[in-house]
Amino acid sequence: MENQVIKMQAITKVYHTDDIETHALSGIDLEINKGEFVSIAGPSGCGKSTLLSIMGLLDDANSGTYQLNGRDVSSLAVAEQTRIRNREVGFIFQSFNLISDMSVAENVELPLIYAGIGKKQRRERVAEVLERVQMSHRMKHLPNQLSGGQQQRVAIARALAGKPAILLADEPTGNLDSRNGEKAMDLLAELHELGATICMVTHDERYNSFASRVIHLFDGKVVDEHVASYEQELAMVGA
Amino acid sequence: MNVFGNIQFTLRLFFKNLSTSLIAVLVLSIGLAMSLTMFNLSKMIMWDNPQFTDGEELVAVDWIRSFNPNGQNQEGVNILDYEYFANNNSSFNELAAFHSLNYSVYHPGSNHGVVRYQAGRVSGNFFSMLNVQPLMGRLPVLADAEASAGDMVLIGYKVWQQEFDGSEDVIGETLLLDGTPHQVIGVMPDNFSFPFSQQIWKPYNWRWEKDGRDNEFKATLLGTLKPGVSKDQARMDLETMASHLREQFPEHNKDLVRLSVNPYGWLIANEQVRALMFMVLIGSLFVLMIASANVSNLLLARVSKRQFELSMRKVLGASRREISMQVVLDALLIAFFGFVLAFLMASWASRIIWGLLYEQYGEFLPYWWSMDIDIKVFVFGICVVLLAVLVSSLSAIIKISGRYNNDSLKDNSRTSSSLSSSRAGNILMSVQIGLTVILIVTASFFGLTVSDALDRQLPWQPEKILQNMLYVTHEAGYDSEASVQTFYDSVEREVAAIPGIRHVAYAYTANLAANLRSVEIEGQTTLSKEDLVSVNSNIVSEQYFELHGKSPVQGRFFLKTDDADSRPVVVINQNFANEFFPGQNPIGKRLRLMQPGNTWEPQNRDKDDWTPWMTVVGVTPALISTKGYENARASGTTGPYLSVYLNNRQWISRVMNVLVTADGRIENYAQDVSQAIASQSTKMAPLGKYQTIAGLIEQNDMFARLIMNFIISFAVVALLMAAAGLYGIASFTAQQRQREYGIHMALGANKNNVVMLVLKTVRWQLGIGLFFGLLISDVLGRVMEQALGSGPNGIVNSGFEVNAYLVYAGTLVLVTLVLGLALLVPALRTASIKPNIALRAYA
């Protein structure tokens, strides 16, 4: 229980558009323990990003329970959700989602500002995480002055800055070429080895092997769940 | 919250989007500058009061004695009534009286000429109530008002400097006021010209006047209220006393029917002026609202462009407050620069307006008036700009402070919402259009009504008559009536001798305003005082009628033989003849007028209430405007259109207008006329400047024209702002929907089809704005009519009625045309884009 970062039970999400109901998630049960690297895989439209949004308190489930770091966050007020998200969750997006009018340092500093951390401490932390992702030399650059791979590293640094309980990565290699994608995944693996808890959404089967556990979604349901080494075995026997 | 960091970022974005930022600043500053300027003007006219120690508010007691539809209200309190109020009231700390007048002032032995100054006859406690001290000398004491004390006077700083060259030995010096010596007992400071622009104060013993309540001295009452006593309470207190006076002195006081206790400044700004100023102030606030709506739309557009960034902030943990801060800071920055620019513009505009007022009214402006930007204007500006920030940022805050939406991050290369689909943007646009319609309708009503009122339709040419006013003074050596007439005759001869001069005449009034007197026709039923008809009267010389290009309709005009020794004669106008002598020959009929005394001449003051019977010798065509005469006949208020002219040789007046016509441009003769008059006496100064009657009219009408121009300019600016706003929205929407239009074009839509598609995006905003704008205008129009008054006592006295439906139709057409043009530009631009390019947009 102490090790559990995320515990979801019977999570359901339904979208209503005019007369149409879309069941994005149907009765999802999910647990992520501290230090795990979990990959959520599945085809387009299976509910991966929806699940990640609910995990990151960007969206609410219609039913079910959700505990984040031992606390029930199922029906919190928006303001409280925002606070918890700021402190407990670090997001990494496919499109990097850096703010184009802010420098690298300013982008990384943003979640620390919202956490109410003082200026000196913020600066130290920003320097530390940028050093970790090897982007210290580009502190004052704007995002459009960086390559895709560099932008993603900055995005990872931003996600790490607040020392979150879990990193949520939504298709982190989606906008990168294979080389930069590999580098991004290497960085995530490195962070995992240093103790970070990571939940990654991807539709690229190649990167499942970086994870310690893979959860397959299909039509909003968990259809398979196994440790990542099984994937490696399958790959070896050509299955 | 990282306030400094947020400010830095906001500044960065401000300069990054410099063009839209500057447009927002300019639009807001124009609206704000108009509001600041109008507030400054309104404050000066309506709310600024001379300040005295302890912050006591000075109030004036306004007294309406009677209301006679054919006459005029009498204002001012009989001085014995004042004594009763002053001694028996329970509401006032002090109650003082003053009577405003002008004196011809001459310092004997100096080389200065005779100059007219505004003066006041004041009660004994006048200065103690105001708690002012003289610069030199002393204030009057009660004993100075006794008959034995001799005439004494306090002079103003200007008089001290101009008549005594600022001499330290002025106390005890003699000053002639209308020829009567007065001893100078004190000099008032430079900043004191109370009650209006007075420079002479005479402590006055009214007991020297006729005893009893028949005396004509009417004073204005001023007072300071006791602590905790409201103006309403004071009014009721005085009205209780008035009822006692009505019982005790029914003959004189039965008409004490209405009383008001108001801030002193309201003596300057009557009800209609205040209504006008409120209208102007509200009009300017409308413009500011339109400007705020424009800025709001701009902020909405900027927020739309920042959708991604703001969504990311939410993802990273920004609270609603922090997100809203982004918008508020943007609005505050625009407001800050807008405020600075607005202040500069308002200062400049205020200086110009003050210059115009001073040029026309000069020293007659109340001394406490000033259009310098003071702390009250500054605070008003701050309040209004903060309100504008709130209004303009509200819709943007509502838009972006909603729940996080995944879609807003999906594609950060375009904004995810188009302004046309934004409800807030639509409402704002409708509000802008509605307010614009209201302003245009109001401006049209007001402009048409005032224009009509100012169009006097005089039956003669005012630009061809040169005018000035003479005051023939005792100290210039003209002690007797005969000497005054001799002076007039000699001036007439001198001026007539100037080559090119055609006519020289005199008139007591220049025919710009009615000078009403009750009339009685010999042999006709004697009416009670209240039912007597008041007609227009004037004192004129022989050439007066010829000067105006008129020949007698019946009988003759005045001759030189119609002098003080012959029977009193009058000339009447055609309307008078038709009204009082229908179907008869008026020549030889007799009439008399009431109360010549206190207005015409001091020497007539002791005469009976009625003039002697005067014989009609001639009938003249109309010399005053007959505009509105038919309406007046229908309502039975024809008095001002009926004229009686008295002969100046039989009614000698020391104050007369000299009127001159000549060949060519009459202004060119001003210097010659001035010299000709000066040659007859170097001791008399004309009362004004030489100008044509047209110039006099322009001076008279200046304030009304100024207000009219303000209101029209508000409407024009509002229309331009609305057009700019609509252009912005249409351009933005067209850009957002470019791909959609590309699809239409690919499917066969031609240029016209695409133009119509673009125009359709704002049809609802336009329609709703026009509809509600006209609806509200109709309601406001009725309110305005009430406030300005269209009856005999209203500011619009001609009975002119604006055709409301024409105005509404005209407004509809104008607004639709202008806004349609504003929409057409982006529509045509969109329709000109090649389909393949349009299809590629945001593909």
Side-chain angles (χ1 to χ4, degrees):
Chain A
M1 193 67 169
E2 277 179 9
N3 277 341
Q4 260 180 356
V5 178
I6 285 177
K7 180 172 177 166
M8 287 180 160
Q9 284 180 306
I11 293 291
T12 304
K13 179 69 184 178
V14 181
Y15 291 109
H16 296 274
T17 322
D18 292 334
D19 296 326
I20 301 167
E21 265 186 8
T22 305
H23 291 260
L25 298 172
S26 301
I28 300 282
D29 292 324
L30 178 72
E31 285 173 18
I32 299 177
N33 296 318
K34 198 171 172 182
E36 275 202 284
F37 188 163
V38 174
S39 174
I40 299 176
S44 291
C46 69
K48 305 189 297 291
S49 294
T50 305
L51 181 59
L52 211 70
S53 293
I54 292 172
M55 268 190 208
L57 299 177
L58 292 173
D59 202 353
D60 294 320
N62 291 107
S63 63
T65 59
Y66 173 24
Q67 289 182 8
L68 176 62
N69 241 358
R71 182 177 170 182
D72 189 343
V73 295
S74 308
S75 48
L76 289 180
V78 170
E80 187 59 19
Q81 282 183 344
T82 305
R83 199 186 69 79
I84 291 174
R85 181 169 65 246
N86 171 253
R87 281 167 169 69
E88 308 285 0
V89 180
F91 278 96
I92 302 160
F93 295 96
Q94 177 179 345
S95 308
F96 328 129
N97 287 356
L98 298 176
I99 295 173
S100 55
D101 293 303
M102 286 183 173
S103 66
V104 162
E106 284 171 341
N107 267 285
V108 174
E109 194 187 15
L110 212 45
L112 301 175
I113 292 171
Y114 295 138
I117 291 169
K119 198 172 182 178
K120 189 168 173 255
Q121 220 178 329
R122 288 203 308 262
R123 284 199 175 152
E124 284 168 4
R125 185 70 189 142
V126 164
E128 185 192 325
V129 291
L130 282 175
E131 182 62 42
R132 199 175 321 168
V133 302
Q134 293 159 28
M135 286 299 295
S136 304
H137 58 299
R138 300 290 188 132
M139 256 189 180
K140 294 197 173 146
H141 283 72
L142 293 174
N144 59 14
Q145 294 173 309
L146 307 177
S147 67
Q150 288 173 325
Q151 287 188 56
Q152 193 59 293
R153 276 194 272 161
V154 172
I156 291 170
R158 182 179 63 187
L160 283 173
K163 295 183 184 171
I166 185 165
L167 290 175
L168 298 179
D170 189 354
E171 307 276 5
T173 60
N175 278 19
L176 299 173
D177 56 64
S178 56
R179 195 164 76 90
N180 279 311
E182 290 277 343
K183 282 187 177 175
M185 289 309 301
D186 285 339
L187 180 54
L188 286 177
E190 193 184 312
L191 292 171
H192 174 233
E193 274 173 31
L194 290 170
T197 308
I198 303 173
C199 179
M200 176 180 73
V201 155
T202 182
H203 66 270
D204 192 335
E205 300 282 337
R206 290 180 295 164
Y207 297 128
N208 282 340
S209 58
F210 284 85
S212 53
R213 180 155 59 103
V214 180
I215 297 171
H216 286 273
L217 285 189
F218 188 79
D219 279 353
K221 295 189 176 89
V222 175
V223 295
D224 186 32
E225 189 177 336
H226 52 262
V227 294
S229 57
Y230 179 66
E231 298 264 343
Q232 289 163 345
E233 284 174 20
L234 282 177
M236 278 166 60
V237 301
Chain B
M1 206 182 298
N2 182 24
V3 175
F4 183 67
N6 281 330
I7 291 171
Q8 269 186 311
F9 186 71
T10 307
L11 267 167
R12 203 184 301 169
L13 288 185
F14 182 91
F15 287 106
K16 185 184 173 189
N17 303 298
L18 196 57
S19 56
T20 53
S21 301
L22 287 179
I23 289 170
V25 166
L26 187 65
V27 162
L28 189 64
S29 66
I30 289 172
L32 200 50
M34 283 186 160
S35 299
L36 285 174
T37 309
M38 289 307 107
F39 177 78
N40 200 9
L41 182 64
S42 307
K43 174 188 76 72
M44 179 184 79
I45 291 175
M46 292 198 288
W47 299 307
D48 278 351
N49 263 333
Q51 292 301 315
F52 299 97
T53 57
D54 300 330
E56 285 177 315
E57 188 190 6
L58 199 62
V59 296
V61 178
D62 215 355
W63 208 273
I64 309 299
R65 280 185 168 271
S66 65
F67 179 71
N68 182 347
N70 284 327
Q72 61 181 145
N73 296 338
Q74 289 177 298
E75 296 183 13
V77 176
N78 179 288
I79 207 63
L80 292 171
D81 292 339
Y82 154 68
E83 278 194 329
Y84 179 79
F85 292 139
N87 295 333
N88 294 288
N89 82 86
S90 56
S91 307
F92 290 87
N93 273 330
E94 288 262 22
L95 198 59
F98 80 87
H99 176 73
S100 214
L101 71 166
N102 295 308
Y103 280 123
S104 248
V105 173
Y106 178 60
H107 177 206
S110 74
N111 55 1
H112 302 296
V114 179
V115 183
R116 297 280 287 177
Y117 286 103
Q118 276 210 296
R121 288 191 293 198
V122 299
S123 59
N125 64 342
F126 182 79
F127 292 100
S128 63
M129 183 189 75
L130 298 178
N131 207 10
V132 291
Q133 293 300 318
L135 197 61
M136 294 168 65
R138 65 173 179 87
L139 291 174
V141 296
L142 278 174
D144 291 332
E146 296 300 321
S148 57
D151 284 320
M152 52 195 70
V153 71
L154 275 134
I155 61 174
Y157 189 87
K158 197 170 149 189
V159 172
W160 177 43
Q161 292 296 313
Q162 288 182 352
E163 305 307 322
F164 295 93
D165 299 321
S167 163
E168 297 290 327
D169 300 321
V170 64
I171 305 301
E173 285 278 334
T174 299
L175 203 61
L176 301 184
L177 306 185
D178 283 355
T180 307
H182 288 68
Q183 189 188 52
V184 176
I185 62 166
V187 178
M188 298 308 289
D190 190 15
N191 60 354
F192 184 83
S193 301
F194 200 80
F196 302 115
S197 47
Q198 266 67 10
Q199 285 293 306
I200 305 269
W201 297 270
K202 183 180 156 107
Y204 193 65
N205 179 11
W206 46 85
R207 291 175 193 80
W208 295 356
E209 298 283 309
K210 216 154 93 163
D211 283 332
R213 284 175 155 70
D214 291 333
N215 74 72
E216 294 302 330
F217 180 55
K218 296 285 188 296
T220 302
L221 304 193
L222 298 175
T224 51
L225 295 171
K226 284 184 177 164
V229 175
S230 68
K231 294 193 239 331
D232 262 340
Q233 286 168 326
R235 180 182 54 79
M236 288 191 292
D237 184 21
L238 292 175
E239 281 184 348
T240 305
M241 285 184 272
S243 69
H244 294 316
L245 289 172
R246 276 196 292 273
E247 285 168 18
Q248 274 187 281
F249 307 102
E251 191 192 327
H252 295 96
N253 290 359
K254 64 176 162 54
D255 296 329
L256 292 176
V257 293
R258 195 155 60 93
L259 167 68
S260 62
V261 177
N262 289 312
Y264 172 70
W266 287 23
L267 282 179
I268 311 286
N270 64 20
E271 216 170 292
Q272 271 117 18
V273 170
R274 288 200 300 280
L276 265 176
M277 293 316 306
F278 269 120
M279 211 167 86
V280 158
L281 187 59
I282 287 166
S284 70
L285 289 174
F286 270 25
V287 175
L288 181 60
M289 281 162 69
I290 292 170
S292 299
N294 255 334
V295 170
S296 189
N297 269 333
L298 264 160
L299 284 172
L300 269 175
R302 279 151 87 101
V303 151
S304 289
K305 281 189 175 174
R306 290 179 69 185
Q307 189 81 27
F308 163 72
E309 174 224 321
L310 294 169
S311 295
M312 264 319 292
R313 285 177 184 266
K314 280 187 212 174
V315 168
L316 295 172
S319 62
R320 261 196 186 138
R321 196 161 59 132
E322 290 181 333
I323 297 293
S324 305
M325 172 68 68
Q326 296 299 315
V327 175
V328 170
L329 279 175
D330 202 7
L332 272 174
L333 201 54
I334 291 169
F336 171 74
F337 289 120
F339 187 67
V340 169
L341 188 58
F343 237 78
L344 291 171
M345 288 159 72
S347 301
W348 172 76
S350 296
R351 265 202 299 278
I352 291 182
I353 293 170
W354 179 254
L356 284 171
L357 287 172
Y358 196 81
E359 191 187 313
Q360 291 298 336
Y361 303 114
E363 61 197 23
F364 296 105
L365 295 174
Y367 74 99
W368 65 89
W369 275 16
S370 165
M371 281 197 74
D372 291 339
I373 305 279
D374 64 8
I375 187 71
K376 286 180 199 163
V377 177
F378 186 80
V379 168
F380 171 81
I382 294 285
C383 292
V384 154
V385 84
L386 287 176
L387 193 62
V389 165
L390 183 67
V391 162
S392 56
S393 54
L394 200 59
S395 49
I397 289 172
I398 291 169
K399 182 179 169 60
I400 50 111
S401 60
R403 200 62 210 278
Y404 165 79
N405 184 342
N406 263 334
D407 291 335
S408 58
L409 288 183
K410 286 259 165 73
D411 178 357
N412 65 2
S413 62
R414 66 172 282 193
T415 58
S416 60
S417 67
S418 95
L419 211 51
S420 71
S421 65
S422 154
R423 197 179 295 170
N426 292 340
I427 292 170
L428 282 169
M429 200 61 241
S430 300
V431 165
Q432 276 191 67
I433 295 170
L435 287 173
T436 303
V437 166
I438 292 169
L439 275 172
I440 292 175
V441 168
T442 307
S444 303
F445 271 114
F446 190 77
L448 288 169
T449 306
V450 170
S451 292
D452 180 80
L454 298 183
D455 177 21
R456 285 174 172 72
Q457 293 175 11
L458 294 168
W460 38 273
Q461 293 170 300
E463 68 281 5
K464 291 194 184 299
I465 302 175
L466 190 70
Q467 172 270 351
N468 205 335
M469 206 179 252
L470 298 179
Y471 186 52
V472 186
T473 57
H474 288 277
E475 69 282 350
Y478 301 97
D479 292 325
S480 65
E481 288 184 359
S483 64
V484 171
Q485 188 57 53
T486 305
F487 172 76
Y488 286 142
D489 287 339
S490 63
V491 162
E492 191 179 330
R493 271 195 307 275
E494 280 298 312
V495 172
I498 299 169
I501 294 290
R502 286 194 182 173
H503 301 101
V504 184
Y506 299 101
Y508 187 71
T509 77
N511 267 334
L512 294 183
N515 185 19
L516 297 173
R517 295 278 169 260
S518 298
V519 68
E520 205 171 56
I521 310 296
E522 190 180 43
Q524 293 189 6
T525 312
T526 304
L527 302 167
S528 66
K529 209 168 165 182
E530 297 79 21
D531 296 329
L532 284 170
V533 174
S534 287
V535 299
N536 186 32
S537 64
N538 205 349
I539 305 173
V540 300
S541 62
E542 297 88 37
Q543 286 203 50
Y544 176 80
F545 303 97
E546 215 180 310
L547 179 137
H548 287 90
K550 304 299 176 190
S551 301
V553 175
Q554 281 180 276
R556 61 168 178 86
F557 294 144
F558 298 134
L559 304 168
K560 280 191 165 44
T561 49
D562 294 321
D563 58 19
D565 296 326
S566 57
R567 62 173 181 168
V569 294
V570 292
V571 170
I572 59 176
N573 72 354
Q574 185 70 72
N575 290 339
F576 190 105
N578 295 340
E579 187 99 1
F580 287 102
F581 309 110
Q584 303 169 44
N585 182 1
I587 306 302
K589 300 279 194 237
R590 301 211 301 172
L591 57 86
R592 60 182 183 174
L593 297 172
M594 185 184 267
Q595 294 178 346
N598 67 329
T599 303
W600 286 346
E601 278 306 299
Q603 65 267 25
N604 294 320
R605 206 167 284 142
D606 293 329
K607 291 188 178 167
D608 294 335
D609 282 348
W610 290 99
T611 65
W613 292 104
M614 300 179 286
T615 307
V616 176
V617 295
V619 178
T620 173
L623 278 161
I624 52 176
S625 173
T626 53
K627 197 168 84 166
Y629 179 53
E630 289 308 317
N631 287 339
R633 283 185 75 190
S635 61
T637 56
T638 51
Y641 297 95
L642 315 177
S643 294
V644 175
Y645 297 92
L646 290 88
N647 182 358
N648 76 314
R649 289 181 191 281
Q650 296 175 337
W651 293 95
I652 309 282
S653 176
R654 288 183 179 274
V655 177
M656 289 292 266
N657 286 277
V658 58
L659 307 170
V660 180
T661 57
D663 298 328
R665 268 193 100 231
I666 188 62
E667 291 94 330
N668 297 340
Y669 292 83
Q671 200 174 354
D672 291 334
V673 170
S674 172
Q675 281 169 354
I677 293 175
S679 72
Q680 298 309 299
S681 174
T682 55
K683 288 187 180 178
M684 289 190 307
L687 300 187
K689 58 182 182 183
Y690 287 93
Q691 58 181 334
T692 61
I693 302 281
L696 202 61
I697 290 170
E698 203 183 298
Q699 185 179 311
N700 211 46
D701 297 346
M702 195 275 270
F703 187 71
R705 279 196 202 282
L706 197 64
I707 301 295
M708 183 176 74
N709 289 338
F710 283 148
I711 293 176
I712 290 171
S713 65
F714 294 157
V716 169
V717 168
L719 187 59
L720 290 174
M721 278 191 191
L726 205 59
Y727 170 85
I729 281 194
S731 294
F732 186 83
T733 308
Q735 197 183 24
Q736 292 291 101
R737 297 169 77 160
Q738 205 170 304
R739 188 158 178 266
E740 181 190 328
Y741 298 138
I743 294 170
H744 279 275
M745 284 189 264
L747 293 173
N750 60 25
K751 230 177 185 174
N752 287 342
N753 296 138
V754 175
V755 166
M756 286 313 297
L757 280 172
V758 174
L759 294 179
K760 270 186 192 171
T761 59
V762 292
R763 68 186 187 281
W764 286 113
Q765 296 94 308
L766 195 56
I768 290 169
L770 285 171
F771 176 74
F772 282 105
L774 286 174
L775 192 64
I776 297 170
S777 297
D778 195 45
V779 171
L780 284 180
R782 293 173 210 281
V783 171
M784 192 177 78
E785 202 179 9
Q786 284 273 32
L788 294 180
S790 54
N793 292 310
I795 202 162
V796 174
N797 202 12
S798 64
F800 175 73
E801 278 184 26
V802 180
N803 188 328
Y805 297 110
L806 267 180
V807 169
Y808 296 154
T811 303
L812 215 63
V813 167
L814 176 68
V815 171
T816 309
L817 264 173
V818 172
L819 296 187
L821 265 170
L823 286 170
L824 207 56
V825 174
L828 286 172
R829 195 168 54 219
T830 304
S832 306
I833 298 174
K834 289 199 165 109
N836 59 325
I837 294 171
L839 282 168
R840 260 188 251 139
Y842 309 124

